[in-house]
Amino acid sequence: MRVDKSPFSDNNVRMAMKLAMDRGETNEKSDFNAGTVGNDFHFSPKTSDYTEWLEQRVHDPDKAKWHLKQAGMDSLEANMWASDSVQPGAVDFVTLYAEQAEAAGINITPVRESGDGHWADVWLKKPFMFSSCGGRPTPDVIFSLTYQTGAAWSEAFRSNARFDELLLPAKAELDVGLRAEKYRETCMIARDDGGSIVPHFTNYVYAHLDTIGRPDVVGNTWEFDGAFGYQRCWFKS
């Protein structure tokens, strides 16, 4: 949700949109349960040092309605652009989300975008869109790319002074505990003030022949062993 565009400039509207989603159902029906439920920030909940203490956001239509009331609304109409070129099943995902949001008085119209038009006509342009982002190895990399004021890939166009204040010191902090404290706060700000709904992190599911060897541990930032599979897999003799 672009926070510089109405109605998403109101954080109550953004909170309503987040609470209108049933992440368990989207994970089950969109990712066939091959995903890890997210909590509205771009850093995996598997990194428990930063995120385990944050309460998991759940589907709560009544609370979503309350937030709409705080924004002076009884209901909300919104278009959401999506393209299956971004992620297979993206349009179906938005359709399911639209069905879930009806209980909160939110009417979402899925807009199917062509594969060759998404990055030119939708990304960083439309007020509400489906997107996908590959993993990054550290909180600083993903937050600097997507949340820092003026970041090149700031899809929500959010600017939060406290978030910016924490980001560089957290990166430079050598004490692991103190660094975790700073990142916990950045996660909380992204979750409760940001414009991104992060429903889940799609797991990479692989199949291979017995004649193919692979390392015991594989990368999880990109497909095929972090895009290094062609170097790290081998044919067994």
Side-chain angles (χ1 to χ4, degrees), residues 30-186:
S30 178
D31 267 4
F32 306 102
N33 278 328
T36 301
V37 173
N39 207 10
D40 295 336
F41 47 84
H42 281 65
F43 203 67
S44 172
K46 292 293 187 181
T47 309
S48 59
D49 286 349
Y50 307 136
T51 63
E52 65 180 0
W53 60 279
L54 275 175
E55 181 181 358
Q56 175 62 52
R57 182 156 288 146
V58 297
H59 187 218
D60 192 336
D62 291 334
K63 193 171 182 180
K65 288 180 181 178
W66 183 87
H67 279 286
L68 284 183
K69 289 283 188 184
Q70 300 309 301
M73 300 178 180
D74 292 320
S75 62
L76 174 65
E77 304 276 342
N79 291 333
M80 186 173 181
W81 280 259
S83 172
D84 287 340
S85 66
V86 179
Q87 182 170 310
V91 178
D92 290 340
F93 176 93
V94 175
T95 302
L96 176 59
Y97 174 34
E99 293 173 357
Q100 297 169 349
E102 289 177 357
I106 298 171
N107 299 307
I108 299 171
T109 301
V111 181
R112 182 187 295 272
E113 183 66 31
S114 65
D116 59 355
H118 175 81
W119 301 110
D121 302 326
V122 173
W123 191 61
L124 301 181
K125 293 182 174 64
K126 299 299 184 182
F128 190 30
M129 63 161 191
F130 180 100
S131 188
S132 180
C133 186
R136 296 298 189 275
T138 67
D140 177 75
V141 175
I142 194 65
F143 281 148
S144 296
L145 280 173
T146 58
Y147 281 99
Q148 188 176 23
T149 300
W153 293 357
S154 179
E155 296 171 325
F157 289 78
R158 186 73 186 117
S159 178
N160 184 291
R162 178 58 180 165
F163 184 94
D164 293 341
E165 180 185 341
L166 288 166
L167 196 57
L168 189 59
K171 178 181 180 179
E173 180 58 64
L174 298 180
D175 185 290
V176 174
L178 292 177
R179 184 168 65 245
E181 287 180 12
K182 291 181 172 65
Y183 280 136
R184 288 185 189 117
E185 187 174 350
T186 60

